[in-house]
Amino acid sequence: KRRPVAGFANARAPNEDVDPLECLWVVGEAGVDDYQCFIVAGAARPSTQPGKATIAIHELRDYAQAYEVYSVLVMTRSALLKLDLKGIDAVISRLQTARSRWSNLRTKGYVQYPWELALSVAFSAYNRYTACFAGDTHCTGNEGLDPESWRLVALHPGVGFGFVGFGPRQKIKPSADAALSLSLEAIGFTSYNSSFSWYWGLAAGAVVDDGNFSDTRFGLFVHLTRLLHVGYLLSAMQSTTRGDATLFVSMDLGSMLGLDFH
């Protein structure tokens, strides 16, 4: 974040009044501590004098390498001296924002399992990344640096509590006794806010209460951050419970287990 003083990046021929004559060129301010002297292998090394500035000596293989190094130093000097500090600050701030968003996604987002990530990659429109870098060096917005704010939910298993008796034509009274329910979100999505610290989501899927796979119930799941995950799922497979519904409640199982597949 700091622009170097001009002399630090200055590649120049040595000044015989203050620089050792053995140097092909020097980098830095002559007479100031820690400047650089370049020589070719086999050449006499400059002597240091007590009380003088520290000189770092770089021995190059031959004159061909010396030419390459000098060319790089000249280009580096040109680039450093033309840097815009405001632009640098903007880039650093943008990278810090992107880092914060990725961190929030990992610690506060809905875990994506490996197959969900693979599907996300398969369906992502990566040409927008190319367009972003071609048109905007800072690559702002969701393109390029940030996670995608809309993320896929596919064949996502879970576990929670199911409360039966909540159907529109239920034949049993709503129960306060929770059944252990296995859930599978077949297809859906999550949508994140700009900081990726909060999300909501919607998915279609099914639950099985107390291991009764013959009475699988189908419906919708809603996410309001990882703290609240609810579903409303109707029974349609058994005639004795048809019209009944399960109210499903859970938290993000992957988060509780400390999983991180983003």
Side-chain angles (χ1 to χ4, degrees), residues 222-254:
V222 176
H223 298 268
L224 294 174
T225 77
R226 60 176 53 179
L227 298 178
L228 181 60
H229 179 193
V230 298
Y232 185 78
L233 305 107
L234 289 167
S235 173
M237 297 179 66
Q238 280 190 350
S239 59
T240 56
T241 59
R242 188 172 293 122
D244 185 31
T246 293
L247 183 64
F248 177 83
V249 180
S250 78
M251 294 179 63
D252 180 358
L253 176 63

Side-chain angles (χ1 to χ4, degrees), residues 32-175:
V32 177
D33 275 351
D34 198 22
Y35 73 103
Q36 321 292 312
C37 167
F38 291 82
I39 64 173
V40 172
R45 300 173 70 86
S47 58
T48 57
Q49 301 178 21
K52 294 291 185 179
T54 301
I55 303 174
I57 300 173
H58 301 276
E59 190 173 278
L60 303 171
R61 182 180 62 251
D62 50 34
Y63 283 98
Q65 186 183 39
Y67 173 79
E68 294 175 1
V69 172
Y70 186 82
S71 299
V72 170
L73 286 169
V74 170
M75 288 187 290
T76 302
R77 172 181 183 260
S78 176
L80 288 172
L81 295 180
K82 292 178 181 179
L83 284 176
D84 181 354
L85 283 178
K86 293 182 179 178
I88 294 174
D89 290 339
V91 170
I92 291 173
S93 175
R94 184 66 185 88
L95 290 172
Q96 289 173 337
T97 299
R99 179 184 178 184
S100 174
R101 287 171 174 170
W102 280 105
S103 178
N104 285 340
L105 177 64
R106 286 191 298 269
T107 58
K108 302 177 181 179
Y110 193 44
V111 168
Q112 284 186 292
Y113 291 102
W115 54 90
E116 293 174 298
L117 288 173
L119 288 172
S120 295
V121 171
F123 289 103
S124 292
Y126 281 102
N127 59 332
R128 66 189 180 90
Y129 292 99
T130 303
C132 171
F133 282 103
D136 180 4
T137 55
H138 293 170
C139 218
T140 55
N142 283 336
E143 296 180 338
L145 293 177
D146 299 331
E148 292 179 335
S149 58
W150 291 78
R151 304 185 71 83
L152 181 68
V153 176
L155 301 177
H156 193 110
V159 64
F161 296 105
F163 301 88
V164 300
F166 287 88
R169 299 187 303 275
Q170 70 270 23
K171 299 178 181 179
I172 57 176
K173 294 181 179 180
S175 173

